[in-house]
Amino acid sequence: MTIDQAREVLKRAEAAREAIGPVSDLFEGGLTLDQAHAICEANIGERIAAGDPLRGYKVGFTNIPVRDDMGLPDSTYGYLLDSMVLESGGTLDLDELIAPRIECEICFRLAKPLAGKGLTIEQVLDATDAVAGAFEICDARIRDWKCPYPDFFADNGFSARIVLEGSWHSVDEVDLLQESVVLTQDGNEIASGRGEMAMGHPANAVAWLAGKLADRGKSLEAGQLIMTGTLTPILPIEDGSRYEASFSTLGTVVKRFA
């Protein structure tokens, strides 16, 4: 199995809306992180070249106790393209996805570039234009969401869609550690969380991402969106339901699924 062949396998799985087994199973001895990044970057590069611009990134598994319980050695990231960014309200057709799950997150929008390892919370906040409440709709091309760690990167961090509340707030207006959210399904509360659940502070997730991109010779650019990880459990989406995330400062995000 070559990088290009593995890329085509994932590409076909997403197009057909049919999950596959772990990509690692296709490689003798398993998939390395470098191979996984190469697979993802080739697919993303093709989509950008076809006219779907890069809008930013998502960081996954930022709840450290949950990550450790899953046996993952580190967090993950994926790319966000323009076609993945949705507005609050309306209905998302589940036929577009395979096995989607929903998360409540704080999205950062950068005003300045960020690059390098070891960035502080203060440096991230200084480079941040504004923050917003958001859903992330994750989706795995890999069956049952079960795979070795490198596969998360090969499959673009299980990225699918994000849903933005629509209004942006200066970081000076928000207590990012204590910003709370309540998630309801058809009016019934199903989860809640606070900003501190994302790596202890959502800005830490941005700093982590900048460091990992630096390892790949990349950096964050002004205007890019960064999804900083879920504040609530990762929950499967039920067909026909309406989900609403009510943030204490960042407004309300709504999406129906059918």
Side-chain angles (χ1 to χ4, degrees), residues 33-85:
L33 274 176
D34 279 344
Q35 289 171 325
H37 282 298
I39 291 166
C40 179
E41 289 165 3
N43 267 334
I44 293 298
E46 181 180 62
R47 293 175 65 171
I48 292 172
D52 197 359
L54 178 67
R55 291 290 302 278
Y57 300 84
K58 57 77 60 85
V59 183
F61 300 107
T62 55
N63 185 312
I64 307 304
V66 171
R67 188 187 78 189
D68 291 345
D69 286 345
M70 293 181 65
L72 297 176
D74 203 349
S75 300
T76 61
Y77 72 83
Y79 298 81
L80 298 175
L81 302 180
D82 189 66
S83 62
M84 301 178 183
V85 181

Side-chain angles (χ1 to χ4, degrees), residues 52-165:
D52 197 359
L54 178 67
R55 291 290 302 278
Y57 300 84
K58 57 77 60 85
V59 183
F61 300 107
T62 55
N63 185 312
I64 307 304
V66 171
R67 188 187 78 189
D68 291 345
D69 286 345
M70 293 181 65
L72 297 176
D74 203 349
S75 300
T76 61
Y77 72 83
Y79 298 81
L80 298 175
L81 302 180
D82 189 66
S83 62
M84 301 178 183
V85 181
L86 307 177
E87 296 179 352
S88 180
T91 300
L92 177 60
D93 187 350
L94 288 179
D95 286 343
E96 298 179 10
L97 305 169
I98 299 173
R101 301 184 186 185
I102 194 166
E103 304 177 349
C104 301
E105 306 196 12
I106 297 173
C107 182
F108 280 48
R109 185 176 68 194
L110 297 183
K112 304 175 185 177
L114 279 173
K117 304 177 77 67
L119 296 176
T120 65
I121 289 174
E122 291 72 24
Q123 287 173 310
V124 170
L125 295 181
D126 179 67
T128 300
D129 175 37
V131 294
F135 283 144
E136 183 181 357
I137 311 303
C138 303
D139 196 25
R141 274 56 64 175
I142 296 170
R143 191 174 300 112
D144 299 327
W145 286 54
K146 295 180 180 178
C147 59
Y149 179 67
D151 291 48
F152 288 97
F153 290 95
D155 194 23
N156 194 28
F158 291 2
S159 301
R161 307 285 189 276
I162 67 170
V163 182
L164 298 177
E165 188 273 339

